Amino acid sequence: MSASPAKSLAESAAEYGLKPDEYELIVKRLNREPNHLELGVFSVMWSEHCSYKSSRKHLAKFPTTGPRVIQGPGENAGVIDIGDGQACVFKMESHNHPSYIEPYQGAATGVGGIMRDVFTMGARPIALLNALRFGDPGHPKTRRLVAGVVAGIGGYGNCVGVPTVAGETNFHRGYDGNILVNAMCVGLADADKIFYSAAPSAGLPVVYFGSKTGRDGIHGATMASAEFDEDSDEKRPTVQVGDPFAEKLLIEATLELMASGAVAAIQDMGAAGLTSSSVEMAGKGGVGIELDLDKVPQRESDMSAYEMMLSESQERMLAILKPGREADGQRIFAKWGLDAATIGWTTDTGHIVLKHKGEVVCDLPLGPLSDDAPLYDRPWVAPTTQPRLDPTEVPAPSDYAAAVKTLMSAPDMASKRWLWEQYDRHVMADTLEDSATGADAGVVRIHGTAKALAVTSDCTPRYVLADPYEGGKQVVAEAWRNLTSVGADPIAITDNLNFGNPERPEIMGQIVRAIEGMAEACRTLDFPVVSGNVSLYNETNGQAIPPTPTVGAVGLMANSARRADFASMKAGQALVLLGDTRGELGASMYLREVLGREDGAPPPVDLLIEERVGDLVRDLIQSGLVTVCHDLSDGGLIAAAAEMAMASSVGLKLMIAAAIPAHAYLFGEDQARYLMAVDNGYAVLSRAKAAGLSATIVGQAGGEHLTVDGLFNLPLAELSAAHEGWMPGYMG
């Protein structure tokens, strides 16, 4: 993978993803031409994946501080205070391009990489989530990609022994040429024992430990910052290969090394490998770094300096130890059977200096590589938004029962049991709610306490496509609602902003407006962004994915016994709908799956109402009055009711309780709404009235049918068979 000497440096720069003006800027900053290794170092550090050069200006719009925020964006992961001297550490990242090229390893190493981001901060991983977007089920590649990605996630997470507790899976033709695999990890640490990556001073030993370095993943960060074409399958060498058993050893060794007091700074080797870890540690600390590449543990013979610096081999860490603590490190690494070597020292030069075979092969100032990377204010045009649909002008289904079956067996709405049964959801024995239990968020007990963390991942790409600003607000509000629905207090989010080519003004417009909508929701809901990832250039032959700014969110339960799910509804309970219904059908699942249309404005999000309704729901759950609760989202009221009935194996009967068309009432996707099954409906109505909020008794649980008064009577067994049958039928 090293550059051919026959090529000019400018040609190599273009091959590595650097624009001509960026190459000229490098020459200007150095006051000379770089050599090929130095050019490779610049290419990965200035890639979109590492430098955020197109998005940094707009990411600054996010609120990133709050009373519980210990560490916001800028480190390996975000850190929030959860009381009692404990901290939650979490982040979400993408592995989109690698997963499309090589689905098993792409997804597996995405899981491994996001776990390293978390335990690098001193936290033990306790939960995994994933957000997956695949192409049309009829596309010739989709089934193979689903099988490979799911096997990769399960194979890695299950082997390491961290439960996968929540996530989401969507299908749409917009992802035919570029699937999305977003992985999230949540960890637990002592609040006073968080570890950071900035090198504190010069003269400290730089220690490499973990797996040996091979030739896999070279230029992975560059590949992740470029769009695909018909030759993308040839990029398999840029996909890393993971070893979950090595990761498990690495977790234990890292945490033990931290507990020994030997660590001054630490960083995992993720995107851009040894290059990014060494540059970031020295750059953040305002020092220099000198490495002797002959000492790097190598898996293959005759590796060049270029290959070692740009390899993205997995399960590797770089630590800066306190003076004289190398022997402690070596003892711990030997105990866990890891390769390790002191490969260099921090210096006071402000440069990264690399030696190989007795020669200096790279000498670069750190400023231009990190702090001084290009920052673009790319031109953008305001996205064209869709007009609101009048529900009276949207056709009703000719057969309501058939429409409900069609909706609930559509690829996005059908049960994903086939998928999540491949994940170990209960390893570590602290999972209280997961994909199988019928709750809007995963819930993981904080071991040895009454507390629990609630975690969720959310995005509605069709809303963002129809109106990036309103859709951006909804992404955050939906995550906030899912945490609220189980009774957790929402604390903070991480994000994974997946978009097309930012050099196209219409795509940049999507990015800008979605971020602005998300930021407004975060401010209003007091829901700061503490970490995240931007994944751009998700397009093939000029066809961009639907804009998909995914949010991963974390909430806290003070008493995990006071929580709600939607799978414990009992016959005789009243069904209470909390929130206002106007019958918003624009960009809805009904419109797409039943009528075959993808038009209309998404439902508007009133953030102040969202906050008031959510606050009441949490009060009802935390006081013990409500134990069955489901937020309304895709598919509206009828979908939420159907999911509650199927999860609880109890039928229910609904009535139309609003002066709007029946199909708009049932299928409308109005926001800030929850459906609850309660023993005393009037007590809930009284609490809602006191809070000045709309609440209505809309039905009753019981029987073996899903019934809407005067419209249809559908056997629950028939609906469940359709709902459960799609995914196993599709996967064969």
Side-chain angles (χ1 to χ4, degrees):
M1 285 295 296
S2 58
S4 166
K7 289 181 180 171
S8 71
L9 286 165
E11 287 174 324
S12 294
E15 185 180 287
Y16 301 161
L18 291 166
K19 306 289 184 191
D21 59 333
E22 291 176 335
Y23 177 71
E24 290 173 13
L25 186 59
I26 291 169
V27 174
K28 182 178 178 183
R29 299 273 165 90
L30 297 180
N31 201 27
R32 62 175 174 84
E33 284 204 310
N35 62 36
H36 278 107
L37 171 57
E38 293 170 335
L39 183 63
V41 169
F42 266 104
S43 74
V44 291
M45 293 309 299
W46 282 17
S47 69
E48 194 72 52
H49 191 82
C50 291
S51 73
Y52 299 99
K53 58 191 174 187
S54 300
S55 57
R56 265 185 294 159
K57 177 180 185 292
H58 301 286
L59 295 175
K61 298 171 183 176
F62 283 136
T64 58
T65 59
R68 288 190 178 271
V69 176
I70 295 173
Q71 174 64 53
E75 268 294 343
N76 289 290
V79 186
I80 53 175
D81 188 335
I82 57 171
D84 306 310
Q86 295 175 309
C88 174
V89 180
F90 64 101
K91 190 181 183 185
M92 175 179 273
E93 277 213 338
S94 59
H95 237 224
N96 303 335
H97 284 38
S99 297
Y100 184 78
I101 295 168
E102 214 311 300
Y104 184 95
Q105 290 296 347
T109 52
V111 173
I114 198 63
M115 280 198 283
R116 285 194 298 281
D117 281 337
V118 166
F119 70 76
T120 298
M121 301 291 293
R124 180 171 292 280
I126 61 168
L128 294 167
L129 300 84
N130 53 73
L132 312 177
R133 323 277 169 186
F134 297 105
D136 188 292
H139 189 275
K141 286 189 176 182
T142 300
R143 187 177 172 280
R144 179 183 67 84
L145 291 168
V146 173
V149 165
V150 171
I153 291 169
Y156 204 101
N158 296 354
C159 290
V160 174
V162 179
T164 299
V165 300
E168 52 184 338
T169 303
N170 294 146
F171 296 84
H172 190 271
R173 64 182 180 279
Y175 304 102
D176 281 352
N178 202 125
I179 65 171
L180 302 184
V181 175
N182 297 168
M184 178 175 169
C185 181
V186 181
L188 197 61
D190 291 337
D192 61 350
K193 294 185 178 71
I194 304 299
F195 288 80
Y196 299 96
S197 56
S201 62
L204 301 179
V206 178
V207 175
Y208 170 122
F209 66 100
S211 297
K212 289 183 169 73
T213 294
R215 290 187 169 97
D216 52 323
I218 293 173
H219 268 297
T222 308
M223 182 266 288
S225 306
E227 58 188 88
F228 279 159
D229 56 30
E230 56 275 358
D231 298 323
S232 294
D233 280 351
E234 296 175 8
K235 295 179 179 177
R236 288 183 192 278
T238 59
V239 177
Q240 312 91 323
V241 177
D243 179 350
F245 300 105
E247 180 97 345
K248 176 62 175 171
L249 298 174
L250 194 63
I251 292 173
E252 301 305 331
T254 301
L255 296 178
E256 185 171 335
L257 182 69
M258 291 167 167
S260 77
V263 175
I266 191 164
Q267 172 85 29
D268 76 300
M269 293 190 222
L274 190 51
T275 292
S276 65
S277 55
S278 55
V279 168
E280 289 174 10
M281 292 176 86
K284 286 178 183 177
V287 299
I289 192 165
E290 183 174 306
L291 304 180
D292 183 349
L293 299 181
D294 295 334
K295 295 179 179 176
V296 171
Q298 297 163 52
R299 195 170 66 227
E300 302 178 50
S301 59
D302 300 319
M303 288 190 72
S304 68
Y306 184 97
E307 290 170 329
M308 281 186 271
M309 289 304 293
L310 273 71
S311 166
E312 292 185 11
S313 294
Q314 296 292 285
E315 294 88 39
R316 301 181 301 158
M317 304 287 282
L318 200 63
I320 294 172
L321 299 187
K322 294 174 182 175
R325 299 300 296 271
E326 296 99 314
D328 294 328
Q330 289 296 342
R331 174 181 51 78
I332 292 167
F333 306 139
K335 171 185 171 181
W336 293 103
L338 298 176
D339 285 289
T342 299
I343 64 168
W345 299 85
T346 56
T347 67
D348 60 4
T349 64
H351 279 229
I352 178 170
V353 176
L354 305 176
K355 294 180 177 178
H356 188 228
K357 297 182 178 178
E359 295 183 8
V360 173
V361 291
C362 170
D363 186 345
L364 294 173
L366 286 162
L369 283 172
S370 49
D371 304 334
D372 209 15
L375 174 60
Y376 294 124
D377 186 1
R378 296 201 185 275
W380 61 278
V381 295
T384 302
T385 56
Q386 297 275 338
R388 180 179 181 266
L389 298 182
D390 183 337
T392 64
E393 296 178 2
V394 176
S398 56
D399 182 334
Y400 273 90
V404 172
K405 277 181 65 177
T406 296
L407 179 72
M408 299 311 296
S409 61
D412 278 10
M413 299 293 291
S415 167
K416 304 304 186 296
R417 184 187 304 274
W418 176 92
L419 182 155
W420 47 250
E421 280 189 342
Q422 298 183 48
Y423 305 151
D424 190 334
R425 306 180 306 283
H426 295 280
V427 66
M428 302 176 80
D430 283 317
T431 304
L432 301 176
E433 305 285 353
D434 64 80
S435 304
T437 54
D440 286 312
V443 179
V444 180
R445 177 176 47 219
I446 298 171
H447 200 75
T449 75
K451 297 188 301 184
L453 294 172
V455 293
T456 186
S457 162
D458 293 288
C459 184
T460 313
R462 62 184 190 280
Y463 290 176
V464 188
L465 182 62
D467 185 335
Y469 181 75
E470 208 64 37
K473 286 163 59 180
Q474 193 274 342
V475 169
V476 175
E478 170 77 3
W480 196 83
R481 263 201 311 275
N482 280 334
L483 299 178
T484 293
S485 295
V486 296
D489 293 315
I491 294 180
I493 70 170
T494 180
D495 62 55
N496 203 146
L497 308 180
N498 307 275
F499 292 90
N501 185 343
E503 296 168 47
R504 294 166 53 195
E506 67 275 17
I507 299 297
M508 198 65 217
Q510 292 177 344
I511 296 169
V512 172
R513 291 299 283 158
I515 287 174
E516 289 174 348
M518 293 172 73
E520 182 185 340
C522 288
R523 284 191 297 271
T524 302
L525 298 174
D526 193 18
F527 210 21
V529 180
V530 297
S531 60
N533 172 243
V534 172
S535 175
L536 307 182
Y537 297 94
N538 288 291
E539 54 183 81
T540 299
N541 295 325
Q543 186 64 43
I545 60 161
T548 312
T550 307
V551 159
V554 173
L556 179 65
M557 290 179 178
N559 179 2
S560 61
R562 290 287 176 95
R563 66 179 191 275
D565 58 39
F566 58 80
S568 51
M569 181 173 68
K570 295 178 177 60
Q573 288 186 312
L575 295 168
V576 177
L577 176 62
L578 183 60
D580 290 309
T581 301
R582 293 172 51 194
E584 296 288 348
L585 289 169
S588 67
M589 291 297 292
Y590 170 76
L591 208 68
R592 190 177 87 185
E593 299 299 338
V594 178
L595 301 184
R597 293 168 50 180
E598 296 188 48
D599 62 315
V605 179
D606 185 325
L607 293 165
L608 294 176
I609 292 293
E610 194 78 64
E611 184 177 35
R612 288 175 57 205
V613 175
D615 288 349
L616 174 60
V617 169
R618 285 194 305 281
D619 285 345
L620 291 169
I621 295 171
Q622 292 169 3
S623 68
L625 193 59
V626 170
T627 60
V628 181
C629 182
H630 197 3
D631 84 304
L632 270 61
S633 55
D634 288 351
L637 172 61
I638 195 64
E643 287 169 346
M644 289 170 68
M646 290 186 290
S648 305
S649 299
V650 176
L652 57 81
K653 183 176 182 179
L654 292 177
M655 54 191 176
I656 305 298
I660 58 175
H663 67 292
Y665 181 75
L666 292 172
F667 297 105
E669 296 182 4
D670 305 73
Q671 301 294 290
R673 296 188 302 161
Y674 301 79
L675 185 62
M676 295 170 282
V678 296
D679 295 325
N680 186 345
Y682 294 101
V684 175
L685 297 190
S686 175
R687 292 280 295 271
K689 183 177 181 181
L693 297 170
S694 170
T696 313
I697 294 178
V698 296
Q700 188 174 34
E704 298 178 354
H705 292 73
L706 177 66
T707 302
V708 176
D709 202 17
L711 285 180
F712 70 91
N713 187 31
L714 181 60
L716 197 58
E718 184 180 329
L719 179 62
S720 294
H723 179 66
E724 292 287 347
W726 181 80
M727 188 102 194
Y730 174 65
M731 296 307 296

